[in-house]
């Protein structure tokens, strides 16, 4: 991550940043992104994000329920959302995922 900024109030966190992605066999990409978390990040919440790279822009929204921590991972239920980009999108409903500590830091974001 090259840079990010964060603003928050009682029930919303807004982040925006710039990230450099380096590939072994392709040119690097710089992407701009923003993320809005509304609700209780350790309860029911909605995550909306936008990723911009080149002339493309992706907007996605997920309704999420935080279930709890299991060891060094967090169990999260994605109640509703869409993943992917372009024509390769996939609808997600009622799917539980385990997320490592360093990836699930909704409130507040911590530098690694």
């Amino acid at each position: 991550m090259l840079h990010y900024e964060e603003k928050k109030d009682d029930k919303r966190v807004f982040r925006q940043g710039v990230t450099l992605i380096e590939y072994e066999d392709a040119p690097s990409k710089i992407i701009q992104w923003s993320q809005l978390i509304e609700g209780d990040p350790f309860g029911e919440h909605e995550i909306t994000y936008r990723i911009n790279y080149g002339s493309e822009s992706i907007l996605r929204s997920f309704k999420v329920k935080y279930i709890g921590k299991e060891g060094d991972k967090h169990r999260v239920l994605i109640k509703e959302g869409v993943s992917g980009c372009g024509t390769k999108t996939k609808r997600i409903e009622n799917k539980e995922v385990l997320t490592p500590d360093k990836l699930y830091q909704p409130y507040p974001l911590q530098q690694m």
Side-chain angles (χ1 to χ4, degrees):
M1 187 177 320
L2 300 176
H3 174 75
Y4 83 91
E5 294 177 3
E6 178 177 273
K7 296 177 187 171
K8 60 185 170 183
D9 57 31
D10 289 344
K11 291 293 179 182
R12 295 183 341 166
V13 176
F14 177 74
R15 297 185 186 118
Q16 58 186 9
V18 177
T19 302
L20 172 66
I21 300 175
E22 295 182 329
Y23 300 98
E24 288 183 14
D25 56 351
S28 300
K29 283 186 185 178
I30 294 179
I31 54 175
Q32 295 176 318
W33 54 270
S34 63
Q35 177 187 55
L36 176 65
I37 300 172
E38 296 178 281
D40 177 5
F42 293 101
E44 302 247 353
H45 57 284
E46 185 166 351
I47 301 171
T48 303
Y49 70 89
R50 178 183 301 277
I51 298 175
N52 299 308
Y53 56 98
S55 62
E56 294 190 49
S57 181
I58 299 169
L59 180 66
R60 292 286 181 260
S61 184
F62 295 92
K63 292 186 179 182
V64 179
K65 180 178 182 183
Y66 182 82
I67 296 174
K69 193 166 181 180
E70 295 180 21
D72 63 347
K73 293 188 167 59
H74 299 269
R75 184 170 292 279
V76 178
L77 172 67
I78 300 174
K79 297 173 80 172
E80 183 181 342
V82 176
S83 69
C85 59
T87 58
K88 297 182 180 186
T89 59
K90 180 178 161 186
R91 188 138 190 83
I92 301 171
E93 289 186 46
N94 297 317
K95 180 177 176 78
E96 288 189 21
V97 294
L98 276 173
T99 306
D101 258 343
K102 66 181 182 177
L103 296 179
Y104 193 81
Q105 299 176 6
Y107 216 83
L109 181 68
Q110 299 171 5
Q111 292 275 21
M112 291 184 252

